[in-house]
Amino acid sequence: MTNPQSAISVQSVSKSFGRGDSAIKVLQDVAVEIGTREFFTLLGPSGCGKTTLLRLIAGFEELDSGSILIDGERVDHLPPFRRPVNTVFQNYALFPHLSVAQNVAFALEMQSLSRAEVIRRAGEALEMVRMAAFANRKPSELSGGQQQRVALARALAPRPKVLLLDEPLSALDLKLRKQMQIELKQLQAEAGITFVFVTHDQEEALTLSDRIAVMQGGRILQLDTPRAIYERPSHRFVADFIGDINLLEGKVDGGAIQLDCGASVAGNFGHAPGDRVTVAIRPERARLAKSGEGSFAAEVMHSAYLGTATLLQLRLADGREFLLRETRIGEGAAPPEKGSRVSVHLPDSALQVFAA
Amino acid sequence: MSAASPLRRMGLVAPALVIVLALVGVPLAIMAWVSLLERGATIGVTWDSAPSFANYTRLAWEEDFDGTMLLNPTYLIIQLRSVAQAFFTTVLCVLLGLPVALWMSSLSKNQRDIAVLLITIPFWTNLLVRNYAWLIILREDGAVSHFANAVWPFGPVQLLYNDTAILIGLVYSFLPFMILPIYSGFEKFDWRLLEAAYDLGANRRQALTRVVIPLAMPGIIAGSMLVFIPSLGSFVTAAILGGGKSLMMGNLIQLQFGQSRNWPFGAALSVVLLALMMLVLVGLALWRNRQGGKI
């Protein structure tokens, strides 16, 4: 199944660390096609195999079975220095004995380009990340954000077909991270190459990606656009991992789902009677009930005014917490007081139901 | 620390200064003074003789019977040989020690501890004894000699009592002093830098020469000093494996203070040896400064 459109084609790749009984399966039969110029994100909690998959593409690990193709050419037997990919490492891995310019020129020198060409292209790469003024500094003399930019320039300078980014923003503080996210996206558009981005930060993944692969336990659970993953998660894990979500457990009872908190939801959502299920709803999709709507009662534990919305932390009849992000409070009406009782409505269209 | 007055700081440093001055400075001064005196009839030095540089002149010239100075290269050759031996010892130790240190750092924690132990084990035996062991290993009818003669196509190989034997002995003696500092540098080495080098298109050789060796430089320099300086002054190895035929400066100095009972000349030789070592240290310091003080 070689897709000629794919920049990267990962075909039934498996990888274990260790041998015999103590072997840990890090990747199990993973397949993914990454398109040209796509901003593709591998998202998942630590230990899900996302970094291992990236390292397999880069060539730092050898796969146990399967194959990896870049631009239609099989690369899984090639050493890292023969693969048309470059990596931005988590802690940048800048060469401490070389200046910023020498770091960026490193890959160009390895390609045995002429001295003038090396200088010109290293200068261009530094210009692209607005670090030209720091060319003669040593990496130790730069801030985290500046080192990040140099690492990007160094990886982009040899014009790879694919740029691999291993949690590149995780070492930066929040404000800088937001700023670098925007710059990354712009850089990708400018450079016009495929980005494969590894992160455990779901918000970052949603902001940046064209498509996201959500990974858990060495498998890809869902592979789709950020919007689809947020709105139509395929697994309970995905729903729980991406954004805030309320997970209500219950049982299918005829044509309805009887929730443990006492409320019930109409429809069985394709599950057989008697099945245990989890009903998921985003805090912003649930709302305070108008009169006449199906609703259930909850007690207000905490009410936080967020400017654009009010976040209500509720307690259900069975003691579970429920988050509700209400945007219509504040148009004259005061938000519910702490300790007061409210009615919550769950619109059918906002519900996701998973087998428990 | 900024609150401490200069006087108080001096007070804290004073004990160390006194010890260094009394146990290093004073003996060195005495040695330098003795090197300017004449030898004595019984105790090796005539304390009340007029100071002169005669002993230094003797290093290269000797007075003929008619008073003209003739060039006498004997001592110069010994000095040159010493410097050459120390230099080649250092180079060989770098060539052998770097791969070993690199390999050690790739081991697991437990294996590393064992490797460090194995490398330090020779120190448990006296250097003299270890050199005698080499005497047996390299002896004419030994296995090593037989092997060397079998593979060496240019006539019979004499392994003992020559410069080669001394070089082997010196490399063996000082190799741990090269391995350990390089290894300790590699222990802190960020191996992702090697991955970064591969990632950026460097093959194994380029990664080694462009990233690993430059970053190992502090260890290589430290190791080189630890090997070169004692090699230059060593005398046990040359005495045993050189069979007394191939002298090094250490042997010469030992001879002057021992059999020859010529302390002033021995002192002059020691001053020259010291000057050579200082030269190397200053050279290294200058070279490091030129590298921007980063390593």
Side-chain angles (χ1 to χ4, degrees):
Chain A
M1 190 201 84
T2 305
N3 183 348
Q5 300 298 309
S6 296
I8 300 177
S9 171
V10 175
Q11 298 171 357
S12 55
V13 161
S14 296
K15 171 77 185 168
S16 303
F17 288 120
R19 285 196 201 107
D21 295 338
S22 62
I24 302 159
K25 286 182 179 168
V26 186
L27 290 174
Q28 302 181 49
D29 200 24
V30 169
V32 59
E33 301 285 325
I34 300 171
T36 307
R37 301 190 181 188
E38 191 172 16
F39 198 119
F40 190 90
T41 298
L42 299 167
L43 173 67
S46 59
C48 72
K50 57 189 190 300
T51 295
T52 304
L53 182 53
L54 195 81
R55 290 173 59 82
L56 281 169
I57 297 171
F60 302 136
E61 310 281 353
E62 280 178 40
L63 38 73
D64 297 342
S65 62
S67 56
I68 295 173
L69 288 79
I70 296 175
D71 265 6
E73 277 181 57
R74 197 159 170 185
V75 296
D76 46 72
H77 58 283
L78 295 177
F81 50 86
R82 295 207 195 288
R83 299 191 187 196
V85 299
N86 285 117
T87 307
V88 177
F89 292 85
Q90 187 166 10
N91 291 312
Y92 320 134
L94 295 175
F95 302 123
H97 60 298
L98 300 179
S99 71
V100 165
Q102 287 169 322
N103 262 285
V104 175
F106 190 91
L108 304 170
E109 284 170 6
M110 294 302 116
Q111 292 176 355
S112 46
L113 301 169
S114 74
R115 190 77 213 135
E117 182 76 357
V118 168
I119 291 169
R120 189 181 64 77
R121 279 177 55 182
E124 275 177 17
L126 278 176
E127 205 66 61
M128 196 149 79
V129 295
R130 291 181 282 109
M131 285 296 291
F134 298 88
N136 294 320
R137 299 264 189 102
K138 285 276 165 74
S140 57
E141 297 164 327
L142 301 179
S143 70
Q146 290 168 335
Q147 289 185 31
Q148 168 70 77
R149 288 205 182 89
V150 175
L152 270 168
R154 185 179 69 171
L156 286 170
R159 297 178 190 156
K161 288 177 176 163
V162 176
L163 190 70
L164 308 174
L165 303 105
D166 184 8
E167 308 222 12
L169 307 180
S170 62
L172 304 178
D173 61 52
L174 185 67
K175 196 177 164 197
L176 203 53
R177 196 153 70 220
K178 296 275 179 221
Q179 189 190 331
M180 284 306 297
Q181 283 175 3
I182 298 167
E183 285 186 31
L184 262 187
K185 197 73 184 161
Q186 286 171 345
L187 263 181
Q188 195 226 353
E190 247 176 83
I193 59 174
T194 310
F195 274 35
V196 181
F197 187 85
V198 160
T199 185
H200 62 267
D201 182 337
Q202 44 95 13
E203 202 182 322
E204 195 167 277
L206 293 176
T207 313
L208 292 172
S209 318
D210 295 322
R211 282 195 305 157
I212 299 173
V214 183
M215 297 184 68
Q216 190 213 8
R219 294 177 195 277
I220 293 178
L221 290 185
Q222 187 173 9
L223 199 167
D224 218 323
T225 60
R227 187 183 177 120
I229 281 181
Y230 186 82
E231 292 180 1
R232 292 187 304 279
S234 63
H235 294 71
R236 186 191 153 139
F237 174 84
V238 178
D240 199 13
F241 191 72
I242 311 281
D244 291 325
I245 200 155
N246 297 298
L247 297 169
L248 304 169
E249 290 178 11
K251 202 166 110 179
V252 180
D253 183 10
I257 297 168
Q258 201 62 45
L259 297 175
D260 295 350
C261 65
S264 76
V265 172
N268 61 14
F269 293 86
H271 292 271
D275 281 0
R276 294 286 303 170
V277 293
T278 300
V279 173
I281 185 163
R282 299 275 176 205
E284 69 274 17
R285 299 295 300 273
R287 54 183 166 80
L288 297 178
K290 293 178 202 139
S291 57
E293 279 179 336
S295 66
F296 56 91
E299 183 190 349
V300 178
M301 301 290 298
H302 186 75
S303 161
Y305 177 64
L306 303 178
T308 54
T310 303
L311 189 66
L312 297 176
Q313 207 176 323
L314 308 175
R315 184 152 61 192
L316 305 181
D318 62 347
R320 285 180 178 266
E321 269 187 23
F322 189 93
L323 282 178
L324 192 151
R325 196 181 164 99
E326 182 59 77
T327 50
R328 288 163 309 160
I329 301 175
E331 291 165 3
E337 298 266 318
K338 182 179 171 182
S340 66
R341 298 191 72 79
V342 293
S343 308
V344 178
H345 174 63
L346 306 177
D348 284 353
S349 63
L351 296 180
Q352 296 275 327
V353 180
F354 306 108
Chain B
M1 276 314 287
S2 58
S5 67
L7 203 70
R8 223 185 110 151
R9 257 183 282 172
M10 274 306 290
L12 287 170
V13 178
L17 278 180
V18 168
I19 289 173
V20 168
L21 215 66
L23 298 182
V24 179
V26 172
L28 274 179
I30 294 174
M31 188 181 79
W33 177 243
V34 167
S35 77
L36 302 174
L37 301 178
E38 284 170 24
R39 66 187 298 183
T42 50
I43 59 155
V45 59
T46 309
W47 288 107
D48 53 0
S49 54
S52 75
F53 286 99
N55 289 312
Y56 292 94
T57 325
R58 262 193 76 194
L59 288 169
W61 287 276
E62 69 186 339
E63 201 174 352
D64 208 351
F65 297 115
D66 56 5
T68 54
M69 299 301 269
L70 293 175
L71 191 71
N72 176 3
T74 315
Y75 298 127
L76 284 179
I77 287 171
I78 291 174
Q79 282 173 34
L80 252 163
R81 179 191 292 133
S82 293
V83 172
Q85 285 280 20
F87 174 77
F88 287 121
T89 302
T90 309
V91 170
L92 280 174
C93 280
V94 172
L95 291 179
L96 294 171
L98 189 69
V100 173
L102 204 57
W103 170 74
M104 276 169 67
S105 58
S106 72
L107 299 174
S108 73
K109 176 82 183 70
N110 282 343
Q111 289 171 321
R112 286 180 190 198
D113 291 345
I114 293 169
V116 171
L117 183 74
L118 287 176
I119 281 167
T120 46
I121 274 182
F123 295 125
W124 299 0
T125 314
N126 187 283
L127 185 66
L128 209 61
V129 176
R130 286 184 282 144
N131 274 294
Y132 271 113
W134 275 102
L135 205 60
I136 293 162
I137 293 170
L138 299 177
R139 74 179 193 275
E140 213 162 328
D141 55 349
V144 177
S145 273
H146 280 298
F147 177 75
N149 276 305
V151 296
W152 187 252
F154 313 108
V157 185
Q158 168 69 289
L159 286 178
L160 262 188
Y161 309 131
N162 54 27
D163 289 337
T164 317
I166 298 176
L167 189 62
I168 292 173
L170 286 175
V171 169
Y172 161 78
S173 305
F174 295 115
L175 188 55
F177 295 108
M178 182 64 79
I179 294 175
L180 292 175
I182 300 180
Y183 164 71
S184 96
F186 279 141
E187 253 195 329
K188 289 171 275 169
F189 190 76
D190 181 359
W191 290 102
R192 276 170 319 175
L193 294 177
L194 196 61
E195 286 187 348
Y198 287 149
D199 187 72
L200 295 166
N203 59 32
R204 284 172 187 84
R205 186 183 54 77
Q206 287 166 323
L208 191 72
T209 55
R210 299 290 297 268
V211 176
V212 176
I213 290 177
L215 288 170
M217 233 21 189
I220 293 174
I221 288 172
S224 296
M225 287 201 277
L226 288 177
V227 170
F228 184 83
I229 289 171
S231 297
L232 194 58
S234 73
F235 64 94
V236 171
T237 307
I240 296 171
L241 298 175
K245 287 193 287 182
S246 225
L247 289 181
M248 287 180 63
M249 278 182 87
N251 306 96
L252 197 56
I253 293 168
Q254 187 211 13
L255 269 179
Q256 302 312 314
F257 283 95
Q259 282 137 299
S260 303
R261 291 209 154 268
N262 192 346
W263 290 9
F265 188 52
L269 286 167
S270 303
V271 169
V272 170
L273 185 61
L274 199 67
L276 279 174
M277 290 174 182
M278 288 299 285
L279 215 63
V280 172
L281 285 177
V282 169
L284 272 176
L286 286 177
W287 180 77
R288 277 160 86 164
N289 275 348
R290 213 187 42 150
Q291 300 285 311
K294 282 280 175 253
I295 54 172

